[in-house]
Coordinates of all heavy atoms in Angstrom, one line a residue:
M510 N 261.4 109.5 44.8 CA 261.7 110.9 45.2 C 260.4 111.6 45.7 O 259.3 111.5 45.1 CB 262.1 111.7 44.0 CG 262.6 113.1 44.2 SD 263.4 113.7 42.7 CE 263.0 115.5 43.0
P511 N 260.5 112.2 46.9 CA 259.3 112.8 47.5 C 258.8 114.0 46.7 O 259.6 114.6 46.0 CB 259.7 113.2 48.9 CG 261.2 113.4 48.8 CD 261.6 112.4 47.8
D512 N 257.5 114.3 46.8 CA 257.0 115.5 46.2 C 257.7 116.8 46.6 O 258.0 116.9 47.8 CB 255.5 115.7 46.5 CG 254.7 114.6 45.8 OD1 255.1 114.0 44.8 OD2 253.5 114.3 46.3
Q513 N 257.9 117.7 45.7 CA 258.5 119.0 46.1 C 257.4 119.8 46.8 O 256.3 119.8 46.3 CB 259.0 119.7 44.9 CG 260.3 119.0 44.2 CD 261.5 119.1 45.2 OE1 261.8 120.1 45.7 NE2 262.1 117.9 45.4
L514 N 257.8 120.5 47.8 CA 256.9 121.5 48.4 C 256.6 122.6 47.4 O 257.5 123.0 46.7 CB 257.5 122.0 49.7 CG 257.5 121.0 50.9 CD1 258.3 121.6 52.0 CD2 256.2 120.7 51.4
P515 N 255.4 123.1 47.4 CA 255.1 124.2 46.5 C 255.9 125.5 46.9 O 256.3 125.7 48.0 CB 253.6 124.4 46.7 CG 253.3 123.9 48.1 CD 254.3 122.7 48.3
E516 N 256.1 126.3 45.9 CA 256.8 127.6 46.1 C 255.8 128.5 46.9 O 254.6 128.5 46.7 CB 257.1 128.2 44.8 CG 258.3 127.6 44.1 CD 259.6 127.8 45.0 OE1 259.9 128.9 45.3 OE2 260.2 126.8 45.2
I517 N 256.4 129.4 47.7 CA 255.7 130.4 48.4 C 255.5 131.6 47.5 O 256.4 132.0 46.8 CB 256.4 130.9 49.7 CG1 256.6 129.7 50.7 CG2 255.7 132.1 50.3 CD1 257.5 130.0 51.9
E518 N 254.2 132.0 47.4 CA 253.9 133.2 46.5 C 253.6 134.4 47.4 O 253.0 134.3 48.5 CB 252.7 132.9 45.7 CG 252.9 131.7 44.7 CD 251.6 131.4 44.0 OE1 250.8 132.3 43.6 OE2 251.3 130.2 43.9
L519 N 254.1 135.5 46.9 CA 253.8 136.8 47.6 C 252.7 137.5 46.9 O 252.9 137.8 45.7 CB 255.1 137.7 47.7 CG 254.9 139.1 48.2 CD1 254.3 139.2 49.6 CD2 256.2 139.8 48.1
E520 N 251.7 137.9 47.6 CA 250.6 138.7 47.0 C 250.6 140.0 47.7 O 250.3 140.1 48.9 CB 249.2 138.0 47.2 CG 249.1 136.7 46.4 CD 247.8 136.0 46.6 OE1 246.9 136.5 47.4 OE2 247.6 134.9 46.0
D521 N 251.0 141.0 47.0 CA 251.2 142.4 47.6 C 250.0 143.2 47.1 O 249.8 143.4 45.9 CB 252.5 143.0 47.1 CG 252.8 144.3 47.8 OD1 251.9 145.0 48.2 OD2 254.1 144.5 48.0
R522 N 249.2 143.7 48.1 CA 248.0 144.5 47.8 C 248.1 145.9 48.4 O 247.2 146.4 49.1 CB 246.8 143.8 48.3 CG 246.6 142.4 47.7 CD 245.2 141.9 48.1 NE 245.0 140.6 47.5 CZ 245.1 139.5 48.2 NH1 245.3 139.5 49.5 NH2 244.9 138.3 47.6
G523 N 249.2 146.6 48.1 CA 249.4 147.9 48.6 C 249.8 147.9 50.1 O 250.9 147.6 50.4
S524 N 248.9 148.3 51.0 CA 249.2 148.3 52.4 C 249.1 147.0 53.1 O 249.6 146.8 54.2 CB 248.3 149.3 53.1 OG 247.0 148.9 53.1
K525 N 248.5 146.0 52.4 CA 248.4 144.7 53.0 C 249.0 143.7 52.0 O 249.2 144.0 50.8 CB 247.0 144.3 53.3 CG 246.4 145.2 54.4 CD 245.0 144.6 54.8 CE 244.5 145.3 56.0 NZ 245.2 145.0 57.2
G526 N 249.1 142.4 52.4 CA 249.6 141.4 51.5 C 249.6 140.1 52.3 O 249.2 140.0 53.4
R527 N 250.0 139.0 51.5 CA 250.1 137.7 52.2 C 251.1 136.9 51.4 O 251.4 137.1 50.2 CB 248.7 137.0 52.2 CG 248.2 136.6 50.9 CD 246.9 135.9 51.0 NE 246.5 135.3 49.8 CZ 245.8 134.1 49.7 NH1 245.4 133.5 50.8 NH2 245.4 133.7 48.5
Y528 N 251.6 136.0 52.2 CA 252.5 134.9 51.6 C 251.6 133.7 51.6 O 250.9 133.4 52.6 CB 253.7 134.6 52.5 CG 254.7 135.7 52.4 CD1 254.7 136.8 53.4 CD2 255.7 135.8 51.4 CE1 255.6 137.8 53.3 CE2 256.6 136.8 51.4 CZ 256.6 137.8 52.3 OH 257.5 138.8 52.3
V529 N 251.6 132.9 50.5 CA 250.7 131.8 50.4 C 251.4 130.6 49.8 O 252.2 130.7 48.9 CB 249.4 132.2 49.6 CG1 249.7 132.6 48.2 CG2 248.4 131.1 49.6
L530 N 251.0 129.4 50.3 CA 251.4 128.1 49.8 C 250.2 127.5 49.3 O 249.2 127.3 50.0 CB 252.1 127.3 50.8 CG 253.5 127.5 51.2 CD1 253.9 126.8 52.5 CD2 254.4 127.0 50.1
R531 N 250.1 127.1 48.0 CA 249.0 126.5 47.4 C 249.2 125.0 47.4 O 250.3 124.6 46.9 CB 248.6 127.0 46.1 CG 248.1 128.4 46.1 CD 247.6 129.0 44.8 NE 246.9 130.2 45.0 CZ 247.5 131.4 45.1 NH1 248.8 131.5 45.1 NH2 246.7 132.5 45.3
G532 N 248.3 124.2 47.9 CA 248.4 122.8 47.9 C 247.4 122.1 47.1 O 246.6 122.7 46.4
P533 N 247.3 120.7 47.3 CA 246.4 119.9 46.5 C 244.9 120.3 46.9 O 244.7 120.6 48.0 CB 246.7 118.5 46.9 CG 247.4 118.6 48.2 CD 248.1 119.9 48.2
G534 N 244.0 120.2 45.9 CA 242.6 120.5 46.1 C 242.3 121.9 46.5 O 241.3 122.1 47.2
G535 N 243.2 122.8 46.2 CA 242.9 124.2 46.5 C 243.2 124.7 47.9 O 242.9 125.8 48.3
A536 N 243.8 123.8 48.7 CA 244.2 124.2 50.1 C 245.3 125.3 50.0 O 246.1 125.3 49.2 CB 244.8 123.0 50.8
E537 N 245.1 126.2 50.9 CA 246.1 127.3 51.0 C 246.5 127.5 52.4 O 245.7 127.7 53.3 CB 245.5 128.7 50.5 CG 245.2 128.7 49.1 CD 244.7 130.1 48.6 OE1 244.3 130.9 49.5 OE2 244.7 130.4 47.4
A538 N 247.9 127.5 52.6 CA 248.4 128.0 53.9 C 248.8 129.4 53.6 O 249.4 129.7 52.6 CB 249.7 127.1 54.2
E539 N 248.5 130.3 54.6 CA 248.8 131.7 54.4 C 249.3 132.4 55.6 O 249.0 132.0 56.7 CB 247.6 132.5 53.8 CG 246.5 132.6 54.8 CD 245.4 133.6 54.4 OE1 245.4 134.1 53.3 OE2 244.5 133.9 55.2
M540 N 250.0 133.5 55.4 CA 250.4 134.4 56.5 C 250.2 135.8 55.9 O 250.7 136.2 54.9 CB 251.9 134.2 56.8 CG 252.4 135.0 58.0 SD 254.1 135.1 58.1 CE 254.5 136.2 56.7
T541 N 249.3 136.5 56.6 CA 249.0 137.9 56.2 C 249.8 138.9 56.9 O 250.2 138.7 58.1 CB 247.5 138.1 56.4 OG1 247.1 138.1 57.8 CG2 246.6 137.1 55.6
F542 N 250.0 140.0 56.3 CA 250.7 141.1 56.9 C 250.1 142.5 56.5 O 249.4 142.6 55.5 CB 252.2 141.0 56.5 CG 252.5 141.2 55.1 CD1 252.7 142.4 54.5 CD2 252.6 140.1 54.3 CE1 253.0 142.6 53.2 CE2 252.9 140.2 52.9 CZ 253.1 141.5 52.3
T543 N 250.5 143.5 57.3 CA 250.1 144.9 57.0 C 251.4 145.7 57.0 O 252.2 145.5 57.9 CB 249.1 145.4 58.1 OG1 248.0 144.5 58.1 CG2 248.7 146.8 57.8
K544 N 251.5 146.6 56.1 CA 252.7 147.4 56.0 C 252.5 148.7 56.9 O 251.4 149.3 56.8 CB 253.0 147.9 54.6 CG 253.4 146.7 53.7 CD 253.5 147.2 52.3 CE 253.6 146.1 51.3 NZ 253.5 146.5 49.9
I545 N 253.5 149.0 57.7 CA 253.4 150.3 58.4 C 254.5 151.1 57.9 O 255.7 150.9 58.2 CB 253.7 150.0 59.9 CG1 252.7 148.9 60.5 CG2 253.6 151.3 60.8 CD1 251.2 149.3 60.4
G546 N 254.2 152.1 57.1 CA 255.2 153.0 56.5 C 256.0 152.2 55.5 O 255.6 151.1 55.0
E547 N 257.2 152.6 55.3 CA 258.1 151.9 54.3 C 259.0 150.9 54.9 O 259.7 150.1 54.2 CB 259.0 153.0 53.6 CG 258.3 154.0 52.8 CD 257.7 153.3 51.6 OE1 258.4 152.5 50.9 OE2 256.5 153.4 51.3
H548 N 259.1 150.9 56.3 CA 260.2 150.1 56.9 C 259.7 149.1 57.9 O 260.6 148.4 58.6 CB 261.2 151.0 57.6 CG 261.8 152.0 56.6 ND1 262.6 151.7 55.6 CD2 261.6 153.4 56.5 CE1 262.9 152.8 54.9 NE2 262.3 153.8 55.4
Q549 N 258.4 148.9 58.0 CA 257.9 147.9 59.0 C 256.7 147.1 58.4 O 256.0 147.7 57.7 CB 257.4 148.6 60.3 CG 258.5 149.3 61.1 CD 258.0 149.9 62.3 OE1 257.4 149.3 63.2 NE2 258.1 151.2 62.4
I550 N 256.6 145.9 58.8 CA 255.4 145.1 58.5 C 255.0 144.4 59.8 O 255.8 144.1 60.7 CB 255.6 144.0 57.4 CG1 256.6 142.9 57.8 CG2 256.1 144.6 56.1 CD1 256.5 141.7 56.9
I551 N 253.7 144.3 59.9 CA 253.1 143.5 61.0 C 252.6 142.2 60.4 O 251.8 142.2 59.5 CB 251.9 144.3 61.6 CG1 252.3 145.6 62.3 CG2 251.1 143.4 62.6 CD1 251.1 146.5 62.7
I552 N 253.0 141.1 61.0 CA 252.5 139.8 60.7 C 251.2 139.6 61.5 O 251.3 139.6 62.7 CB 253.5 138.6 60.9 CG1 254.7 138.8 60.0 CG2 252.8 137.3 60.7 CD1 255.8 137.7 60.3
D553 N 250.1 139.6 60.8 CA 248.8 139.6 61.5 C 248.3 138.2 61.8 O 247.6 138.0 62.8 CB 247.6 140.2 60.7 CG 248.0 141.4 59.8 OD1 248.2 142.5 60.4 OD2 248.1 141.3 58.6
H554 N 248.5 137.3 60.9 CA 247.8 136.0 61.0 C 248.5 135.0 60.2 O 249.0 135.2 59.1 CB 246.4 136.3 60.4 CG 245.5 135.0 60.4 ND1 245.0 134.4 61.5 CD2 245.0 134.3 59.4 CE1 244.3 133.4 61.2 NE2 244.3 133.3 59.9
T555 N 248.6 133.8 60.7 CA 249.1 132.6 60.0 C 248.0 131.5 60.1 O 247.5 131.2 61.2 CB 250.4 132.1 60.6 OG1 251.3 133.2 60.7 CG2 251.0 131.0 59.8
E556 N 247.7 130.9 58.9 CA 246.7 129.9 58.9 C 247.2 128.7 58.1 O 247.6 128.9 56.9 CB 245.4 130.4 58.4 CG 244.3 129.3 58.5 CD 242.9 129.9 58.3 OE1 242.7 131.1 58.5 OE2 242.0 129.1 57.9
V557 N 247.3 127.5 58.7 CA 247.8 126.4 58.0 C 246.7 125.3 58.0 O 246.4 124.8 59.1 CB 249.1 125.9 58.6 CG1 249.6 124.6 57.9 CG2 250.1 126.9 58.5
P558 N 246.1 125.0 56.9 CA 245.0 123.9 56.9 C 245.6 122.5 57.1 O 246.8 122.3 57.0 CB 244.4 124.1 55.5 CG 245.4 124.6 54.7 CD 246.3 125.5 55.5
D559 N 244.7 121.6 57.4 CA 245.2 120.2 57.7 C 246.0 119.6 56.6 O 246.9 118.8 56.8 CB 244.0 119.3 58.0 CG 243.3 119.7 59.3 OD1 243.9 120.3 60.2 OD2 242.1 119.3 59.5
A560 N 245.7 120.0 55.3 CA 246.5 119.5 54.2 C 248.0 119.7 54.3 O 248.8 119.0 53.7 CB 245.9 120.0 52.9
F561 N 248.4 120.7 55.1 CA 249.8 121.1 55.2 C 250.4 120.7 56.6 O 251.5 120.9 56.8 CB 249.9 122.6 55.0 CG 249.8 123.1 53.6 CD1 248.6 123.6 53.2 CD2 250.8 123.0 52.7 CE1 248.4 124.1 51.9 CE2 250.7 123.5 51.4 CZ 249.5 124.0 51.0
R562 N 249.6 120.2 57.5 CA 250.1 119.9 58.8 C 251.3 119.0 58.7 O 251.4 118.0 57.9 CB 249.0 119.2 59.6 CG 247.8 120.1 59.9 CD 248.0 120.9 61.2 NE 246.7 121.6 61.4 CZ 246.7 122.9 61.5 NH1 247.8 123.7 61.3 NH2 245.6 123.6 61.7
G563 N 252.2 119.3 59.6 CA 253.4 118.4 59.7 C 254.5 118.6 58.7 O 255.5 117.9 58.6
Q564 N 254.3 119.6 57.8 CA 255.2 119.9 56.7 C 256.1 121.1 57.0 O 256.8 121.5 56.1 CB 254.5 120.0 55.4 CG 253.7 118.8 55.0 CD 252.9 119.1 53.7 OE1 253.4 119.7 52.8 NE2 251.7 118.6 53.7
G565 N 255.8 121.8 58.1 CA 256.6 123.0 58.4 C 256.1 124.2 57.6 O 256.9 125.1 57.4
A566 N 254.9 124.2 57.1 CA 254.4 125.2 56.2 C 254.4 126.6 56.9 O 254.8 127.6 56.3 CB 253.0 124.9 55.7
G567 N 253.9 126.6 58.1 CA 253.9 127.9 58.9 C 255.2 128.5 59.1 O 255.5 129.7 58.8
L568 N 256.2 127.6 59.4 CA 257.6 128.1 59.6 C 258.2 128.6 58.3 O 258.8 129.6 58.3 CB 258.4 127.0 60.2 CG 259.9 127.3 60.4 CD1 260.1 128.5 61.2 CD2 260.7 126.1 60.9
R569 N 257.9 127.9 57.2 CA 258.4 128.3 55.9 C 257.8 129.7 55.6 O 258.6 130.5 55.0 CB 258.0 127.3 54.8 CG 258.8 126.1 54.8 CD 258.4 125.2 53.6 NE 258.8 125.8 52.3 CZ 258.1 125.7 51.2 NH1 257.0 124.9 51.2 NH2 258.4 126.3 50.1
L570 N 256.6 130.0 55.9 CA 256.0 131.3 55.6 C 256.6 132.4 56.4 O 257.0 133.4 55.8 CB 254.5 131.2 55.8 CG 253.6 130.4 54.9 CD1 252.2 130.2 55.5 CD2 253.6 131.0 53.5
V571 N 256.8 132.1 57.6 CA 257.5 133.2 58.5 C 258.9 133.4 58.1 O 259.4 134.5 58.0 CB 257.4 132.8 60.0 CG1 258.1 133.8 60.8 CG2 255.9 132.7 60.4
T572 N 259.6 132.3 57.7 CA 261.0 132.4 57.3 C 261.1 133.2 56.0 O 262.0 134.0 55.9 CB 261.6 130.9 57.1 OG1 261.5 130.2 58.3 CG2 263.0 131.0 56.6
R573 N 260.2 133.0 55.1 CA 260.2 133.8 53.9 C 260.0 135.3 54.2 O 260.7 136.1 53.6 CB 259.2 133.3 52.9 CG 258.9 134.1 51.7 CD 260.0 134.2 50.7 NE 259.7 135.2 49.7 CZ 259.0 135.0 48.6 NH1 258.5 133.8 48.3 NH2 258.7 135.9 47.7
A574 N 259.1 135.6 55.1 CA 258.9 137.0 55.5 C 260.2 137.6 56.1 O 260.5 138.7 55.8 CB 257.7 137.1 56.4
V575 N 260.8 136.8 56.9 CA 262.1 137.3 57.5 C 263.1 137.5 56.5 O 263.8 138.6 56.5 CB 262.6 136.2 58.6 CG1 264.0 136.5 59.0 CG2 261.7 136.2 59.8
E576 N 263.3 136.6 55.5 CA 264.3 136.8 54.5 C 264.0 138.0 53.6 O 264.9 138.8 53.3 CB 264.3 135.5 53.6 CG 264.9 134.3 54.3 CD 264.6 133.0 53.5 OE1 263.9 133.0 52.5 OE2 265.2 132.0 53.9
D577 N 262.7 138.2 53.3 CA 262.3 139.4 52.5 C 262.5 140.7 53.2 O 263.0 141.7 52.7 CB 260.9 139.3 52.0 CG 260.6 138.2 50.9 OD1 261.6 137.6 50.5 OD2 259.5 138.0 50.5
A578 N 262.2 140.7 54.5 CA 262.3 141.9 55.4 C 263.8 142.2 55.5 O 264.2 143.4 55.4 CB 261.7 141.7 56.7
R579 N 264.6 141.2 55.7 CA 266.1 141.4 55.8 C 266.6 142.0 54.5 O 267.4 143.0 54.6 CB 266.7 140.1 56.1 CG 268.2 140.2 56.5 CD 268.8 138.9 56.9 NE 268.4 138.6 58.3 CZ 268.1 137.3 58.7 NH1 268.1 136.3 57.9 NH2 267.8 137.2 60.0
A580 N 266.2 141.5 53.4 CA 266.7 142.0 52.1 C 266.3 143.4 51.8 O 267.0 144.2 51.2 CB 266.2 141.0 51.0
A581 N 265.1 143.8 52.3 CA 264.6 145.1 52.1 C 264.9 146.1 53.2 O 264.4 147.3 53.2 CB 263.1 145.0 51.9
G582 N 265.6 145.7 54.2 CA 265.9 146.6 55.4 C 264.7 146.9 56.2 O 264.6 148.0 56.8
K583 N 263.7 146.0 56.3 CA 262.5 146.2 57.1 C 262.5 145.5 58.4 O 263.2 144.5 58.6 CB 261.3 145.8 56.3 CG 261.1 146.6 55.0 CD 259.8 146.2 54.3 CE 259.6 147.1 53.0 NZ 258.4 146.8 52.3
K584 N 261.7 146.0 59.3 CA 261.5 145.3 60.6 C 260.1 144.6 60.6 O 259.2 145.1 60.0 CB 261.6 146.3 61.8 CG 262.9 147.0 61.9 CD 264.0 146.1 62.4 CE 265.3 146.8 62.7 NZ 266.4 145.9 63.1
I585 N 260.0 143.6 61.4 CA 258.8 142.8 61.6 C 258.2 143.0 63.0 O 259.0 142.8 64.0 CB 259.0 141.4 61.2 CG1 259.3 141.2 59.7 CG2 257.7 140.5 61.6 CD1 259.7 139.8 59.3
I586 N 256.9 143.2 63.1 CA 256.2 143.2 64.4 C 255.3 141.9 64.3 O 254.3 141.9 63.6 CB 255.3 144.4 64.6 CG1 256.2 145.7 64.5 CG2 254.6 144.4 65.9 CD1 255.4 147.0 64.3
P587 N 255.7 140.9 65.0 CA 254.9 139.6 64.9 C 253.7 139.6 65.9 O 253.8 139.0 67.0 CB 255.9 138.5 65.2 CG 256.9 139.2 66.2 CD 256.9 140.7 65.8
L588 N 252.6 140.2 65.5 CA 251.4 140.2 66.3 C 250.7 138.8 66.4 O 250.1 138.4 67.3 CB 250.4 141.2 65.9 CG 250.8 142.7 66.1 CD1 249.6 143.6 65.8 CD2 251.2 142.9 67.5
C589 N 250.9 138.1 65.3 CA 250.3 136.7 65.2 C 251.0 135.8 66.2 O 252.2 135.8 66.3 CB 250.5 136.2 63.8 SG 250.5 134.4 63.6
P590 N 250.3 135.1 67.1 CA 250.9 134.3 68.1 C 251.9 133.2 67.5 O 252.9 133.0 68.1 CB 249.7 133.6 68.8 CG 248.5 134.5 68.5 CD 248.8 135.1 67.2
F591 N 251.5 132.6 66.4 CA 252.4 131.6 65.8 C 253.8 132.3 65.4 O 254.8 131.8 65.7 CB 251.8 131.0 64.6 CG 252.7 130.0 63.9 CD1 252.9 128.7 64.4 CD2 253.4 130.4 62.8 CE1 253.8 127.9 63.8 CE2 254.3 129.5 62.1 CZ 254.5 128.3 62.6
A592 N 253.7 133.4 64.7 CA 254.9 134.1 64.2 C 255.7 134.6 65.4 O 256.9 134.4 65.4 CB 254.5 135.3 63.3
N593 N 255.0 135.1 66.4 CA 255.7 135.5 67.6 C 256.5 134.4 68.3 O 257.7 134.5 68.7 CB 254.7 136.2 68.6 CG 255.4 136.9 69.7 OD1 256.4 137.5 69.5 ND2 254.8 136.8 70.9
A594 N 255.9 133.2 68.4 CA 256.5 132.0 68.9 C 257.8 131.7 68.1 O 258.8 131.3 68.6 CB 255.6 130.9 69.0
Q595 N 257.7 131.8 66.8 CA 258.8 131.4 65.9 C 260.0 132.4 66.1 O 261.1 132.0 66.1 CB 258.4 131.4 64.4 CG 257.4 130.3 64.1 CD 257.9 128.9 64.4 OE1 259.0 128.6 64.2 NE2 257.0 128.1 65.0
F596 N 259.6 133.7 66.3 CA 260.7 134.7 66.6 C 261.4 134.3 67.9 O 262.6 134.5 68.0 CB 260.2 136.1 66.6 CG 260.2 136.8 65.3 CD1 259.1 136.7 64.4 CD2 261.3 137.5 64.9 CE1 259.2 137.3 63.2 CE2 261.4 138.1 63.6 CZ 260.3 138.0 62.8
H597 N 260.7 133.8 68.9 CA 261.3 133.5 70.2 C 262.2 132.2 70.0 O 263.2 132.1 70.7 CB 260.3 133.2 71.3 CG 259.7 134.5 71.8 ND1 260.4 135.5 72.4 CD2 258.4 134.9 71.8 CE1 259.6 136.5 72.7 NE2 258.4 136.2 72.4
R598 N 261.9 131.4 69.1 CA 262.7 130.2 68.8 C 263.9 130.4 68.0 O 264.8 129.7 68.0 CB 261.8 129.1 68.1 CG 260.8 128.5 69.0 CD 260.2 127.2 68.4 NE 259.1 126.8 69.2 CZ 257.8 126.9 68.8 NH1 257.5 127.4 67.6 NH2 256.8 126.5 69.6
H599 N 263.8 131.4 67.1 CA 264.9 131.7 66.1 C 265.5 133.0 66.5 O 265.2 134.1 65.9 CB 264.2 131.7 64.7 CG 263.7 130.4 64.3 ND1 264.5 129.5 63.7 CD2 262.5 129.9 64.4 CE1 263.7 128.4 63.5 NE2 262.5 128.6 63.9
K600 N 266.5 133.0 67.4 CA 267.2 134.2 67.8 C 268.0 134.8 66.7 O 268.3 136.0 66.7 CB 268.1 133.8 69.0 CG 267.4 133.3 70.2 CD 266.4 134.2 70.8 CE 265.7 133.6 72.0 NZ 264.5 134.3 72.4
E601 N 268.3 134.0 65.6 CA 269.1 134.6 64.5 C 268.2 135.6 63.7 O 268.7 136.2 62.8 CB 269.6 133.5 63.6 CG 268.5 132.7 62.8 CD 267.9 131.5 63.6 OE1 268.0 131.5 64.8 OE2 267.2 130.7 62.9
W602 N 266.9 135.7 64.0 CA 266.0 136.6 63.3 C 266.0 138.0 64.1 O 265.2 138.9 63.7 CB 264.6 136.1 63.2 CG 264.5 134.9 62.4 CD1 265.4 134.3 61.5 CD2 263.3 134.0 62.2 NE1 264.9 133.2 60.9 CE2 263.6 133.0 61.3 CE3 262.1 134.1 62.8 CZ2 262.7 132.0 60.9 CZ3 261.2 133.1 62.4 CH2 261.5 132.1 61.5
A603 N 266.7 138.1 65.1 CA 266.6 139.3 66.0 C 266.9 140.6 65.2 O 266.3 141.7 65.5 CB 267.6 139.2 67.2
D604 N 267.6 140.5 64.1 CA 268.0 141.7 63.3 C 266.8 142.3 62.6 O 266.8 143.5 62.3 CB 269.1 141.4 62.3 CG 268.7 140.3 61.3 OD1 268.2 139.3 61.7 OD2 268.9 140.6 60.1
V605 N 265.7 141.5 62.4 CA 264.5 142.0 61.7 C 263.4 142.2 62.7 O 262.3 142.7 62.3 CB 264.1 141.2 60.5 CG1 265.2 141.2 59.4 CG2 263.7 139.8 60.9
L606 N 263.5 141.8 63.9 CA 262.5 142.0 64.9 C 262.4 143.4 65.4 O 263.4 144.0 65.9 CB 262.7 141.0 66.1 CG 261.6 141.1 67.2 CD1 260.3 140.6 66.7 CD2 262.1 140.1 68.3
K607 N 261.2 144.0 65.3 CA 261.0 145.4 65.8 C 261.0 145.4 67.3 O 260.2 144.7 68.0 CB 259.7 145.9 65.3 CG 259.3 147.3 65.8 CD 260.2 148.4 65.3 CE 259.7 149.7 65.8 NZ 260.7 150.8 65.6
Q608 N 262.0 146.1 67.9 CA 262.1 146.1 69.4 C 261.2 147.1 70.0 O 261.0 148.2 69.5 CB 263.6 146.3 69.8 CG 264.5 145.2 69.3 CD 264.2 143.8 69.8 OE1 263.6 143.7 70.9 NE2 264.6 142.8 69.1

């Protein structure tokens, strides 16, 4: 049986926060965001170290943000190039994309 992927953790620091996947040896894949008011977040940055390459870690981080935004009635502004590219690939996320 293959190793289970680690759970995504949400670290909320008031106006900013991040989603993080912790891997072996302290490796962290992260996606940072900034809150704009109560109803919007900006995805600023996604970083996936080599330890996570090829595992879909970046996509998992963005997907989690989309799910959380949808559940909370928030919109996402994907300033991060990676997140922006994922929004273009996943048209089913249009409901949470800030137009």
Side-chain angles (χ1 to χ4, degrees):
M510 184 170 155
D512 289 336
Q513 291 295 312
L514 288 170
E516 283 297 306
I517 295 171
E518 296 174 43
L519 170 60
E520 295 178 358
D521 192 328
R522 299 192 180 104
S524 65
K525 294 190 172 288
R527 71 180 188 146
Y528 290 94
V529 61
L530 278 164
R531 290 187 169 80
E537 289 185 347
E539 70 169 3
M540 186 193 73
T541 61
F542 63 88
T543 303
K544 296 175 193 170
I545 305 299
E547 292 294 309
H548 304 291
Q549 296 179 59
I550 67 165
I551 294 172
I552 296 177
D553 322 290
H554 178 69
T555 306
E556 186 166 337
V557 178
D559 290 342
F561 286 98
R562 294 270 183 241
Q564 298 175 42
L568 176 57
R569 284 186 63 212
L570 292 167
V571 178
T572 300
R573 169 70 188 273
V575 168
E576 291 167 353
D577 287 358
R579 189 175 281 145
K583 294 183 179 182
K584 297 287 187 185
I585 295 176
I586 303 166
L588 290 186
C589 160
F591 176 81
N593 192 35
Q595 294 304 320
F596 269 91
H597 285 302
R598 288 192 191 108
H599 295 272
K600 300 302 183 195
E601 70 274 17
W602 295 350
D604 62 310
V605 297
L606 180 62
K607 175 68 176 169
Q608 298 297 336

